[in-house]
Amino acid sequence: MQRRFIQKRLINNRILAYLFAITFLIISIILGISVGTVSVPASMIIQIVGHEIFPFLSIDAIDSMYTSIVMDIRLPRVILAGLVGAALAIAGAAFQGLLRNPLADPYTLGVSSGASVGAVITLFFQLSIPFIGSFTLPLLSILFSFITIFLVISFARKIERSMKVETIILTGIIFSSFLGALISLMIALTGDELRQIIGWLLGSVSMRGWEYIKIIFPFFVIGSAILLINANELNAMSFGEERAHHLGVNVQQRKLIVLTAGSILTGAAVAVSGTIGFVGLVIPHLTRLLWGPDHKHLLPLSILTGSGFLILADLVARTVISPTELPIGVITALVGAPVFGLILIKRRTERSG
Amino acid sequence: MVELLYVENLSGGYGETDILKEITFEVDKGEMFGVLGPNGSGKTTLLKMISGILGFQQGMVSVKGRPIESYSSKELAKIIAVLPQHSDQGFSYSVKETVSLGRYAHQKGWFQSWSIEDESIVKKVMEQTGITEFQDKNIQSLSGGERQRVFLAQALAQEPDILLLDEPTNHLDLSFQKELLDLLKQWTEDRGLTVISIFHDLNLAGLYCDRLLLLEKGVINIQHTPNEVLRQERIQSVYQTTIEKQPHPKVPAPQMVLLPKQSSDRRNVVRVDSSNVTISDERIVLRTPIPLKTMSSGVVGSGTGWHQTFINRHVALDYDCTDHKQEMVQYLKSHGFEPSDTVGMMTAVQLKDAALRSYEGDGFSIFVLITAGVGNAIDASKSYLHDFQIQPGTINTWIFVNGEMTEEAFIQSMMTATEAKVKVLHDQGVTDKVSCTFATGTSTDSILIAAAQTGRKLEFAGTITPLGKLISKAVYECTKEAIQNYEKRKQS
């Protein structure tokens, strides 16, 4: 009787978790579209979007200026922010599970910096691979983030077989600094492309338009699907690689798959929005804190909360000292850095206590 | 028949140097198989190779007749499960989530749907390991013992044929060690589970395992039954330490005990003589500076043990013997003696009549103290004529040997002392009043042999050995004197 009650409560808890996360995302989307120099009421947003989906619905009563603001400026921006946030959050959740390390995320591991190098090289040399055209940027970013994560992990393992939390983070920082310096060097060597690269580096989802959504979307779907399929393996691997092996996980193969998927997500996100830190750290951590570490639910919930969070962060970034826009990375870092510190302190006290 | 696990000529290790060299053994279904060896002998390496984590340079490991490399990770996990030595987990999974992961290998398809069978097996193993009540708790909040049981449940949820354990009792307190091993033993017997476990504790291994494998510097020293593997000389040489083998007091299993470096008061030769004794009307008390090894038939402290206080207590002839042991313990406590430290006897004889004397041998000495009364003297060969009735002991013989005695010497001392006593009764013409033949003792005689275990080593105590000769003489003379004192008092 008692047990059934607890089980029921757990399931209810799960449903509540998804309801909460979805509501959070919807509210963020509406706020993200509605708030700005020109305020668009929520009902009007629904009408406009409804018309886009079902063209037979009439929106004759609405000023075309509003339609343009929603459809050409704010909606793509919100969707892009949402996709980037979702990609970074699920990638962070996967990295954390794989490395058994709540401090891992694309940013602290240096993967974002790797992706940036790839992107900067593309922009700097004006590269464009034949046939794939606009996908050159994300592909090179993904390639570089993939190379980086492998270098970081093998380097960390060289230092210390057991790959302690601190070792991986330190290695990530070393790689980040090195790659950051590389980027600075490239910027110093360039003349005219300077503005574009710096603006891009600081991280932003503004003025990107539908074009960028098309770039990130396929990678987001592929990467997330791969990770969701591997949720059980991630659960096993968060008990350690040896333990996962004993439970029947083909560790080498699955690790490669997860790292690849994480790199795809990070690389694509960096390619469209620059380096945005701490989303991949804070969101999975909070999600785990609220609803438990089971990756079967942690991953989808991270997608929902991650996208909502970045939409809100973008909203704050463009309104707080309007009309000037802050880089979105400023907001995520302001929230993220203290959380990072708190996790670090908590882990320390847990270990000594 | 194919062996469940067969390891042949296995060599390998980390990097260039081989940690294990040419290991060959097999384990059958339902066996509890222990792997022993000092630190660095390759126990954990061996376990890692069997579980498929570590490759090997040479030889082969076959499971159910197939080489281990031919299994996929999932297939292998359905046959072999591993209980890790310690598992720390950075994330706060619930107990049930943790146990459920054990079903990973049995789940199929991309989305690994959770079947009714999975659920019922998880429930079953949680019940068997006694963790059902905290299934919703966070594993980080559990104690070491509880967590170990959770991981055991996880391993059992794999429904393995073979369970590998690396020092399973390492972080567990005594009751959990026993509980875990009892459980494993029961599973091997009831369900044919095969358990292969590394043990640090030789005694636990000896108690629970059917066979043991002893590794020494990466090669097999021996694989055999516990009694054969746990030989004193072998363990001393492999582990490079001094130990002593003893039989377990309750079950037929060998036990190894460590011998600590002798403390300074053991290195000096201890001498017990009349200066240790105080005699009053109520009791004779003998105290020694260090505990003595004893073998006795006292009311308290009987059997073998180590004791420091020796008491012969006078009781009235009409002493109520119904619960004399408990009464004696109370008596000792109320007079400030620690019962666990004491060998206590009773007598109805006047204690002033005790005979006590030291005797010197070559490099050793003995001290004897005897109280004797022959009121209910009995001929042992005619004792069937008597009713069974406990009465306070009448000839109490204490022999203190200032030397180091073997177990053999203890037993021979008893025989020698008894023979001497019989002779005294004969020579003194003491008769059994029922059968009217010569008595051999009284119905309730007690004896104590005690040795400080310092000084000269005395291996034997038969009647013609140096110790035996001295005991015969001492017991004969003192018993005679005590009986004479007793007779004198009766006549006066």
Side-chain angles (χ1 to χ4, degrees), chain A residues 52-273:
Chain A
E52 273 318 300
I53 302 167
F54 307 106
F56 54 84
L57 292 174
S58 160
I59 49 163
D60 297 341
I62 296 169
D63 191 333
S64 68
M65 177 195 79
Y66 286 113
T67 320
S68 170
I69 288 178
V70 171
M71 289 315 299
D72 297 339
I73 302 171
R74 293 208 188 139
L75 186 61
R77 179 173 188 152
V78 162
I79 291 178
L80 190 63
L83 285 175
V84 169
L88 291 175
I90 189 176
F95 283 138
Q96 289 175 11
L98 184 69
L99 300 171
R100 323 171 61 191
N101 181 345
L103 291 176
D105 93 322
Y107 195 68
T108 52
L109 287 175
V111 189
S112 298
S113 305
S116 301
V117 172
V120 170
I121 287 175
T122 315
L123 297 173
F124 183 63
F125 293 109
Q126 304 280 337
L127 291 180
S128 178
I129 300 171
F131 304 119
I132 56 170
S134 63
F135 284 105
T136 309
L137 180 66
L139 278 179
L140 275 182
S141 295
I142 289 167
L143 183 69
F144 273 80
S145 53
F146 192 67
I147 294 170
T148 314
I149 185 76
F150 264 85
L151 286 176
V152 167
I153 286 175
S154 46
F155 194 82
R157 181 165 296 157
K158 271 249 155 59
I159 298 173
E160 191 186 42
R161 265 193 76 85
S162 62
M163 293 214 294
K164 276 212 200 95
V165 182
E166 290 78 2
T167 316
I168 298 179
I169 301 295
L170 278 177
T171 315
I173 289 170
I174 293 169
F175 273 80
S176 280
S177 320
F178 180 76
L179 296 172
L182 265 189
I183 294 168
S184 302
L185 187 69
M186 278 189 274
I187 291 170
L189 293 176
T190 177
D192 355 316
E193 286 297 314
L194 191 77
R195 278 186 72 86
Q196 195 197 339
I197 292 178
I198 287 188
W200 176 89
L201 263 184
L202 286 169
S204 168
V205 286
S206 69
M207 306 313 287
R208 299 289 211 255
W210 292 98
E211 200 51 40
Y212 277 80
I213 294 173
K214 281 182 202 151
I215 292 179
I216 186 176
F217 190 71
F219 294 105
F220 169 73
V221 171
I222 293 168
S224 303
I226 294 175
L227 289 182
L228 288 171
I229 288 168
N230 284 286
N232 239 338
E233 283 78 5
L234 277 170
N235 279 337
M237 284 192 280
S238 68
F239 283 83
E241 288 186 14
E242 259 186 34
R243 190 81 210 115
H245 182 103
H246 290 147
L247 290 169
V249 177
N250 187 340
V251 173
Q252 291 312 320
Q253 181 199 336
R254 296 293 179 160
K255 196 163 74 174
L256 196 69
I257 291 174
V258 169
L259 288 178
T260 308
S263 304
I264 289 174
L265 288 161
T266 311
V270 169
V272 297
S273 66

Side-chain angles (χ1 to χ4, degrees), chain A residues 3 6-7 10 14 96-98 100-102 161 228-236 238-251 254 288 291-296 347 350, chain B residues 14 48 51-53 73-74 76-77 80-84 87-94 96-98 101-102 104-105 107 110-112 119 123 127 132 135-136 139-140 151 154-155 158:
Chain A
R3 204 176 305 151
I6 292 172
Q7 241 165 28
L10 271 178
R14 287 263 150 75
Q96 289 175 11
L98 184 69
R100 323 171 61 191
N101 181 345
R161 265 193 76 85
L228 288 171
I229 288 168
N230 284 286
N232 239 338
E233 283 78 5
L234 277 170
N235 279 337
S238 68
F239 283 83
E241 288 186 14
E242 259 186 34
R243 190 81 210 115
H245 182 103
H246 290 147
L247 290 169
V249 177
N250 187 340
V251 173
R254 296 293 179 160
R288 197 180 291 115
W291 299 305
D294 183 350
H295 286 83
K296 284 192 290 268
R347 284 180 64 87
E350 260 170 20
Chain B
Y14 308 95
K48 281 188 174 167
S51 67
I53 285 191
S73 306
K74 272 196 178 185
L76 198 61
I80 300 180
V82 180
L83 179 66
S87 316
D88 47 328
Q89 171 42 265
F91 303 126
S92 45
Y93 284 90
S94 78
K96 195 178 169 193
E97 282 168 343
T98 307
L101 268 178
Y104 173 80
Q107 290 172 296
W110 273 18
F111 290 98
Q112 299 141 338
E119 179 74 23
K123 279 206 172 125
E127 233 138 73
T132 310
Q135 59 171 317
D136 294 312
I139 50 166
Q140 285 177 319
F151 284 102
Q154 191 188 51
Q158 289 175 244

